[in-house]
Amino acid sequence: MPTQRPPAQNHGEPIWLREAERDAKPKAQPLTRERIVRAAMAVADSEGLDAVSIRRIAGELKARPMSLYAHIDSKDDLFELMHDAAAEETLVGDVPADWREALRVLARSNRAAALRHPWLLATRDTGCPVGPASLRRMDESAAAVRGLDADGAVLRALILAVDTFTLGHVMAELSGGIRRRTTEEADTARRAATTEYVQKQIDAGGLPHLAETGFSELLHNDDPEASFERGLDWLLAGAAESLTK
C-alpha cells in the first residue's frame, strides 16, 4: 500500500511564511561559562549572594546541575568569575592625564558597578583571586597616579584612600543591604521608624548636638550622588594639599 500522508493543515497562508515562523522559533542556547556567570549575577543582583547556588543557576538556565561542572568546579569558582565580570564593568579605557580627574572617573565607575551589584562588596571581602579584569582595573589605577612625584607607598595609599571612601559610601547608600535589597516600601517604613525614634531621643534632651545640627540630614541623604561628589572633592583636595608640601 502506498504510504498515506497526514492530512494537510490549512494555515491560510503561503508555505514560505510558515517555514519562516518555524525558523524564527527560539532555539536552545548552548551552555557556556559566560551564560552561567551572567545568570548568577542576575540572581545575586535581585536576591543577594546567598541565593546563588549551582542548583539554582542550573534551574535558571534550564540545565542539569551536573552540566555546570563542565564549566566550573565549585560555587567558589562561580563567585570568582562573577567578581571579575563585575570588575570589568568598572574599566574606563582611556584614563585622564590629570590625576585628580583620573581618580574621580575611576571612583565614579567603581561606585556605579557596586550599586548595580551590591554583592561585589561581599565577594571583595571573601578574598577572590585577582582575575584578568581586576588586574586591568589595578593597571588603570596605577595609570591614574603615574604623573605624581611620590614614592610607591604614597601612591598606593592614595589609591586605597579613594577606593575605601568610594566603597564605604556605597555601603552607606545601601544601608546594610550588601547581601540583599530591601523593597522601597520596607525601606520607607524603616526610615520612618528610625526618624520617630531619634526625634523622641532629641525631644528628651539627650542629644543636644544632633538637635542643633538637624538629625534628618545626618540620617537621611536625599541626594547620595551629591554627597559622594562632595566627599570625593574633599578627599582629593586634601590629598593635593598634602602632596604639594
Side-chain angles (χ1 to χ4, degrees), residues 1-244:
M1 289 181 62
T3 303
Q4 292 185 345
R5 295 182 179 179
Q9 295 181 359
N10 183 12
H11 290 277
E13 54 190 8
I15 182 63
W16 54 83
L17 292 181
R18 300 204 303 272
E19 289 295 336
E21 284 181 358
R22 274 201 290 268
D23 292 342
K25 289 181 180 178
K27 298 178 181 179
Q29 293 180 296
L31 194 62
T32 64
R33 177 179 287 182
E34 182 179 3
R35 286 190 65 218
I36 294 170
V37 172
R38 290 301 168 188
M41 292 174 72
V43 169
D45 289 347
S46 61
E47 300 179 38
L49 198 62
D50 291 340
V52 177
S53 68
I54 299 297
R55 182 175 297 277
R56 171 64 187 278
I57 303 309
E60 293 291 323
L61 296 170
K62 295 179 173 53
R64 294 179 297 103
M66 288 303 297
S67 64
L68 270 64
Y69 288 109
H71 303 274
I72 57 174
D73 290 337
S74 65
K75 188 167 73 171
D76 287 341
D77 283 351
L78 184 54
F79 285 168
E80 291 166 15
L81 291 167
M82 291 166 60
H83 183 89
D84 206 56
E88 189 164 9
E89 296 180 15
T90 71
L91 299 175
V92 300
D94 295 328
V95 178
D98 179 77
W99 67 270
R100 278 164 291 201
E101 183 59 25
L103 289 175
R104 189 183 302 281
V105 169
L106 293 178
R108 288 169 177 164
S109 179
N110 239 6
R111 173 175 173 265
L115 288 174
R116 284 193 301 271
H117 311 299
W119 48 267
L120 183 59
L121 300 178
T123 55
R124 185 174 184 267
D125 290 339
T126 58
C128 285
V130 179
S134 299
L135 278 175
R136 294 200 301 276
R137 177 57 201 249
M138 291 170 64
D139 190 65
E140 288 189 346
S141 295
V145 297
R146 66 188 182 279
L148 284 171
D149 184 17
D151 62 34
V154 171
L155 298 181
R156 288 191 295 273
L158 176 57
I159 292 170
L160 179 61
V162 174
D163 284 349
T164 301
F165 166 76
T166 300
L167 297 179
H169 198 281
V170 169
M171 290 181 68
E173 290 185 59
L174 296 173
S175 301
I178 298 172
R179 291 177 177 268
R180 60 175 175 80
R181 285 188 186 274
T182 58
T183 64
E184 183 176 351
E185 181 179 354
D187 187 55
T188 299
R190 179 183 60 80
R191 286 175 178 268
T194 302
T195 298
E196 182 181 357
Y197 168 74
V198 177
Q199 188 62 60
K200 286 181 178 179
Q201 301 305 309
I202 290 176
D203 292 343
L207 302 169
H209 301 296
L210 280 182
E212 293 174 1
T213 305
F215 78 95
S216 61
E217 286 78 7
L218 296 178
L219 289 178
H220 306 313
N221 181 14
D222 294 331
D223 191 348
E225 185 171 357
S227 171
F228 172 75
E229 293 291 339
R230 185 180 300 115
L232 191 57
D233 281 342
W234 292 338
L235 175 59
L236 294 177
E241 177 70 20
S242 175
L243 290 169
T244 56

